[in-house]
Amino acid sequence: MSDALKNPEFLQWLCEQHSLERALKLFPDGMKAAAERGLRPLGDLPPGNSPLTHPAPVFDPSRFERDR
Amino acid sequence: MTDLAYLSIAEGSRLLRARKLSPVEWTRALLDRIAAIDANYNAFLAVTADQALAQAKAAEAEIAKGQWRGPMHGVPYAAKDIFDVEGMATTCHSKIRMKHRAAADAFVIRKLRETGAVLLGKVALHEFATGGPAFDLPWPPARNPWNRDLHPGGSSSGSAVALAAGFAPAALGTDTGGSVRNPATCCGVIGMKPTYGAVSLGGVFPLTFSLDHVGPMTRDVEDNAILFHAIAGHDPDDPTSAQREAGDCLAGLKRGVKGLRIGVIEHFYKEDAPADPDQVRAIERAVGVLRELGAEPRPIRLSPLALWTDCNRTIHQAEAYAIHERDVRERPEDFAQLTRNRLLPGAFVSAAKYIKAQQLRAALCREFSEAMRELDAAVTLSSLLLPCRIDDPAAIASTYDQQCRLVFNVTGTPAISVPTGFAHGNLPLAMQIAGRAFDEPMVYRIAHAYCAATGFADQRPLIKAAERAVA
């Protein structure tokens, strides 16, 4: 991803997608660093865990019952 | 009588109840000290002197009539300026929030009001509990009482500075990646991050909804347990609030550590990341002290620190950006540079990455729970490095992730920072003691035994009357 971010047009496009044109204009170096950090891939799950078998926290509709 | 500036909650409360000390006398002494000295340390953003004296007088009258409400009755405290106090601005140390006025008290402020505690004022933080010590904000950053040129830690910087400088015996902080424990570490005081849900987040400006914790900060372990009990409890208006009572942290506080099994997560600082030799030597000595006291320390292994950091930071970035998106888009120049640098990466975290981070969090929580199955508690470092200069943003940014605190925001389990000595004569060192979910009593018990044996938490910085105001 860092190679793509060397292209100013890509960073410009990316910021436009997030309505961050003002931030890019004022802080171009900061935006580039932010994009590099935000787009950095996450580390792998520990051994024995799979994204197919271990969901993120489960939605629990019963938690909302008291709001009815 | 002990100097009122460094009087503990426990001793002060005993004196108040016996009517050997007046809450007005204690409050006035601290207000006078703040007025005389805080220009050196910038701990307070707002001092509520009139309200504090009124609360102290009310406490004095009630105690005189025998209506003692409990150990926080008449005890002064300070609150990080991220907690709502009715009628006051909750600025979050930000230009963006200067015109805010809170319509009601935060849950924990209300609880402390009900206990009869006396609010001295609102204290400094890193903008929106992120960023760092910034010089491009309406208020200057708080300064470390041990050395004003060094980072006091954050984001609850003013809370720790107020304690170390003798401005208050109690302070409230918040902790998303270590923001109670980091300033406690840097300023040589006690900072507890309780179990997620044990203390309500109601009326606290959020940084991230799933990693935020409210934490008690004090100079003394027993005081910390007293303050924890005063603020813990279920809040029906906070969806993250746990529906269970906190365990009694005072009953077994002085039982010692004989026979306790304590895991030592040493690969974090011996293999996973470079650590300052003074910090490592101090925790090794601390483990030795626990062994001499009868505990049974043993090394344990978790996933590498970098994976915990990845998990915390991804969730942190995404959730914090969701909260600040509109202001980041429309007025990015109104944030401090360090805050902006922390918030902007969240714009580029994909939904898939955030979900994977949640999966990773669940896996890491299972791993920690499994590791703790045969243990009573675990210890590891708090900061890997020593505090850097407060005016060096590059150094501050580089040390942001050089720590082991965020691990316990991922697990949501309790962890406390306790002093382990000093480097170079006057730089506080610290370790964390961590426990199982809702096992705050065990964490406090070990912390109390260790601090009583070593006395490091009883050391005080040399405080001078204000000679010059610092930016």
Side-chain angles (χ1 to χ4, degrees):
Chain A
M1 190 51 68
S2 58
D3 283 347
L5 285 171
K6 287 176 183 167
N7 179 352
E9 290 179 1
F10 176 70
L11 183 61
Q12 173 84 30
W13 174 84
L14 203 56
C15 290
E16 284 172 4
Q17 299 306 302
H18 295 281
S19 303
L20 288 167
E21 296 93 331
R22 181 177 175 80
L24 178 63
K25 183 180 173 189
L26 293 171
F27 312 107
D29 293 340
M31 286 308 300
K32 187 178 175 191
E36 283 176 352
R37 194 158 180 207
L39 294 170
R40 192 182 300 156
L42 192 68
D44 292 334
L45 287 167
N49 293 276
S50 160
L52 302 180
T53 55
H54 290 88
V58 178
F59 176 70
D60 175 8
S62 68
R63 287 195 62 181
F64 300 90
E65 284 182 354
R66 75 175 179 87
D67 294 335
R68 274 192 283 172
Chain B
M1 186 189 302
T2 309
D3 175 12
L4 290 178
Y6 288 103
L7 185 62
S8 70
I9 297 173
E11 186 185 353
S13 179
R14 281 190 288 273
L15 293 170
L16 291 174
R17 193 179 187 188
R19 298 178 62 190
K20 293 180 178 171
L21 172 67
S22 152
V24 177
E25 182 187 352
W26 195 1
T27 299
R28 200 184 297 279
L30 296 183
L31 289 171
D32 288 349
R33 184 174 174 86
I34 293 163
I37 299 175
D38 193 35
N40 269 353
Y41 301 102
N42 306 326
F44 279 82
L45 300 186
V47 178
T48 51
D50 292 344
Q51 297 96 315
L53 287 169
Q55 288 177 338
K57 284 175 185 166
E60 183 176 59
E62 288 183 346
I63 293 169
K65 286 190 278 186
Q67 298 166 348
W68 187 70
R69 299 194 199 184
M72 288 300 294
H73 199 177
V75 175
Y77 78 100
K80 183 178 183 177
D81 195 12
I82 196 170
F83 293 88
D84 281 350
V85 175
E86 184 178 353
M88 290 186 74
T90 309
T91 69
C92 303
H93 209 128
S94 178
K95 180 180 180 181
I96 289 168
R97 298 268 301 178
M98 285 180 77
K99 292 180 180 170
H100 169 266
R101 287 292 177 277
D105 286 342
F107 181 82
V108 294
I109 298 290
R110 191 165 73 240
K111 287 208 78 168
L112 286 171
R113 204 184 285 280
E114 288 165 2
T115 67
V118 175
L119 177 65
L120 295 169
K122 310 281 283 294
V123 284
L125 61 150
H126 294 173
E127 187 181 25
F128 288 115
T130 189
F135 294 86
D136 49 353
L137 289 172
W139 303 270
R143 296 281 184 153
N144 194 327
W146 292 92
N147 182 334
R148 292 183 301 191
D149 294 329
L150 297 183
H151 190 1
S155 66
S156 307
S157 47
S159 304
V161 171
L163 294 164
F167 297 151
L172 296 177
T174 58
D175 191 314
T176 301
S179 284
V180 159
R181 292 159 288 156
N182 180 22
T185 293
C186 293
C187 295
V189 299
I190 310 292
M192 175 67 149
K193 183 205 76 65
T195 307
Y196 185 79
V199 181
S200 170
L201 296 169
V204 183
F205 194 91
L207 174 55
T208 79
F209 291 104
S210 70
L211 296 168
D212 288 353
H213 300 67
V214 168
M217 301 172 72
T218 56
R219 293 185 291 261
D220 175 89
V221 175
E222 182 179 9
D223 285 3
N224 206 285
I226 291 170
L227 182 57
F228 170 66
H229 274 295
I231 61 175
H234 179 61
D235 174 4
D237 294 325
D238 174 10
T240 71
S241 179
Q243 298 209 32
R244 60 186 289 175
E245 291 294 312
D248 189 335
C249 299
L250 292 163
L253 186 69
K254 298 172 184 173
R255 284 178 58 199
V257 296
K258 191 169 184 187
L260 295 183
R261 301 154 301 174
I262 299 177
V264 184
I265 317 169
E266 58 183 23
H267 65 88
F268 283 171
Y269 50 89
K270 286 190 172 174
E271 299 173 29
D272 299 349
D276 185 273
D278 283 316
Q279 293 282 18
V280 175
R281 278 194 292 271
I283 193 170
E284 287 179 340
R285 283 194 299 268
V287 169
V289 169
L290 291 171
R291 185 178 286 113
E292 287 167 14
L293 293 172
E296 297 167 13
R298 62 189 77 166
I300 62 166
R301 181 163 284 278
L302 302 172
S303 284
L305 183 59
L307 196 59
W308 295 87
T309 305
D310 248 11
C311 179
N312 181 293
R313 293 309 183 209
T314 299
I315 295 169
H316 181 144
Q317 288 166 358
E319 294 188 6
Y321 187 77
I323 290 162
H324 292 284
E325 182 179 49
R326 189 183 67 186
D327 287 330
V328 170
R329 284 175 172 173
E330 294 177 0
R331 49 192 299 193
E333 65 277 19
D334 286 341
F335 291 94
Q337 181 187 348
L338 283 170
T339 314
R340 211 167 42 239
N341 291 347
R342 297 273 155 73
L343 294 175
L344 280 169
F348 307 104
V349 174
S350 69
K353 185 179 175 185
Y354 178 72
I355 291 169
K356 284 175 69 178
Q358 293 288 3
Q359 290 178 313
L360 177 56
R361 184 181 194 180
L364 292 172
C365 287
R366 285 192 295 272
E367 177 185 297
F368 181 71
S369 176
E370 186 64 30
M372 293 293 285
R373 189 185 295 258
E374 303 295 325
L375 298 171
D376 296 295
V379 298
T380 192
L381 274 184
S382 177
S383 294
L384 293 169
L385 305 177
L386 300 176
C388 58
R389 285 189 64 87
I390 193 172
D391 55 358
D392 186 345
I396 287 166
S398 72
T399 59
Y400 184 50
D401 285 337
Q402 302 302 308
Q403 47 110 333
C404 309
R405 294 175 288 268
L406 50 72
V407 168
F408 306 110
N409 296 83
V410 170
T411 60
T413 49
I416 197 168
S417 173
V418 295
T420 53
F422 296 86
H424 312 300
N426 66 349
L427 272 183
L429 304 166
M431 70 171 175
Q432 294 181 94
I433 302 166
R436 291 188 286 246
F438 295 100
D439 201 5
E440 280 84 4
M442 179 60 73
V443 173
Y444 279 124
R445 179 178 159 190
I446 297 169
H448 185 274
Y450 174 75
C451 289
T454 60
F456 293 130
D458 302 327
Q459 303 296 309
R460 307 285 174 242
L462 180 63
I463 303 292
K464 292 183 178 176
E467 297 157 353
R468 60 184 170 95
V470 289

